[in-house]
Amino acid sequence: RSSSVSSPTHHRVIAPTFSGSGGASLPFMGTDSHQPRNGLLSLTDDDVDHLTMGDGESDSATMSSVIHILRVGGSGVEARADERKAALATLVRLARTGSTIVWNDNFRAVLRLLVENLESSAGCERALVLTVLTEMMRRCPLVNLFLNYSELIILRVLKAHADKEKEVIRAAQVCAGTVAEILPPDVVIRVLKPLIQMGDYPVNQSAIKMLNKLIEAHPPAIVAQALPDIMPGLVKAYDNKDSSVRKASVFCMVSLHNCVGEETLKPHLETLAGSKLKLLNLYIRRADTQNSGASSPKSEPHI
């Protein structure tokens, strides 16, 4: 290694040990038949490097310290806030490059603390929690660990779209898009379906936008197969009293048209009133014009 001996990743190699989560766990919501034993997907060279002892602090010790801070905090309000922000920032690093085995051992304990800290009174902490969840989701070996908690994660992320802090809303939007792209589409659609059909604003609008991200991220064959589950909620949302929900529904149907094509989508639009279908077709034509590189009209028709 070219790094110095004081680097946290420059250690003597020891044999990894497998322990429990090290704290209270979230309710277990079923099992996934495809999940490898102990939730482990692979052991890489980086994992061996991180599971070592030496002059620097190992990922395991760092994780334990982070969990302790998020559970207890420091002494005094200001110190506690600074320590918690630093601990969440450390989790971002561990999510990106930390040991898969350490995450496997501590996943449920960390996830529980993250969910709890979404209720923090500090907006910067709530935003950091969502950033940690996003980075964890982007780490391929950790994706399977989320499957048992898909509904919990999606509900909390969508709820964060109603936050009073813009920083939190932006982080929630990024996290929602990542969830829609990374988790299995059938799992995400199953959770979003009732929220789109019966959820209150702004959760229903956020659920539709998350569905839009899913449509853009997956192949037409997968999206077409899900149309019977997707379309009833979108058609109902097109009639919502809130104009932003109606607009989100129209944009989502435009994305569906671009993805699966007119012939596949047409049977699912039969229940739309003539005026609504005409307006939808106007937006579809506008999207086609924009995709062809031509300039679009400056004003938008009222939805």
Side-chain angles (χ1 to χ4, degrees):
R1 290 184 178 272
S2 58
S3 58
S4 65
V5 176
S6 61
S7 169
T9 58
H10 190 88
H11 309 305
R12 300 190 308 275
V13 176
I14 62 169
T17 58
F18 297 86
S19 61
S21 60
S25 61
L26 291 163
F28 192 70
M29 301 169 63
T31 58
D32 175 45
S33 58
H34 301 293
Q35 184 173 347
R37 184 167 182 164
N38 292 327
L40 292 173
L41 298 182
S42 61
L43 179 63
T44 66
D45 290 340
D46 286 340
D47 288 320
V48 175
D49 285 339
H50 283 299
L51 283 168
T52 59
M53 295 179 62
D55 296 330
E57 189 176 35
S58 68
D59 280 355
S60 180
T62 302
M63 181 69 81
S64 296
S65 177
V66 166
I67 290 174
H68 175 73
I69 291 171
L70 294 180
R71 279 180 180 157
V72 180
S75 57
V77 176
E78 292 185 2
R80 184 182 301 118
D82 290 342
E83 288 181 4
R84 291 166 72 84
K85 284 190 290 186
L88 290 168
T90 299
L91 277 181
V92 172
R93 178 189 65 80
L94 288 174
R96 290 172 178 167
T97 61
S99 163
T100 302
I101 294 178
V102 169
W103 273 109
N104 180 77
D105 288 345
N106 296 278
F107 180 82
R108 285 189 287 182
V110 171
L111 186 58
R112 183 186 183 98
L113 290 169
L114 291 176
V115 170
E116 290 175 356
N117 279 275
L118 276 175
E119 305 298 327
S120 169
S121 59
C124 59
E125 288 184 21
R126 298 194 298 274
L128 269 171
V129 168
L130 292 164
T131 301
V132 174
L133 289 172
T134 300
E135 295 299 332
M136 289 170 65
M137 197 76 61
R138 288 172 176 168
R139 182 80 180 275
C140 290
L142 304 184
V143 172
N144 268 20
L145 301 177
F146 278 99
L147 294 180
N148 292 326
Y149 310 102
S150 301
E151 183 174 0
L152 172 68
I153 296 301
I154 292 172
L155 290 175
R156 293 306 179 100
V157 171
L158 292 179
K159 180 182 176 182
H161 283 71
D163 200 277
K164 60 184 179 181
E165 300 285 348
K166 291 183 178 180
E167 180 186 10
V168 179
I169 295 173
R170 286 193 294 267
Q173 291 170 344
V174 173
C175 190
T178 303
V179 171
E181 294 172 6
I182 300 298
L183 288 185
D186 58 321
V187 173
V188 177
I189 290 171
R190 185 177 69 244
V191 179
L192 294 181
K193 180 179 175 181
L195 298 176
I196 293 172
Q197 290 181 332
M198 298 175 288
D200 295 326
Y201 177 83
V203 171
N204 52 358
Q205 179 196 23
S206 302
I208 295 171
K209 289 183 176 181
M210 189 172 180
L211 177 62
N212 205 339
K213 291 290 186 180
L214 183 150
I215 293 166
E216 294 172 352
H218 293 283
I222 291 177
V223 176
Q225 190 176 6
L227 284 176
D229 291 321
I230 292 174
M231 285 306 299
L234 290 179
V235 170
K236 183 177 180 180
Y238 197 1
D239 233 358
N240 194 277
K241 62 182 181 180
D242 195 296
S243 63
S244 60
V245 176
R246 297 196 300 270
K247 182 174 288 189
S249 174
V250 169
F251 288 166
C252 194
M253 284 190 272
V254 171
S255 294
L256 282 170
H257 179 274
N258 293 340
C259 180
V260 303
E262 181 178 359
E263 292 304 315
T264 302
L265 184 62
K266 188 175 181 180
H268 299 277
L269 301 175
E270 293 176 350
T271 58
L272 281 181
S275 59
K276 291 185 178 296
L277 184 59
K278 183 178 180 180
L279 184 58
L280 173 62
N281 286 328
L282 177 60
Y283 270 86
I284 289 173
R285 289 196 298 272
R286 170 176 292 184
D288 290 340
T289 301
Q290 291 174 338
N291 291 336
S292 65
S295 60
S296 60
K298 293 182 179 179
S299 60
E300 290 188 356
H302 179 71
I303 297 179

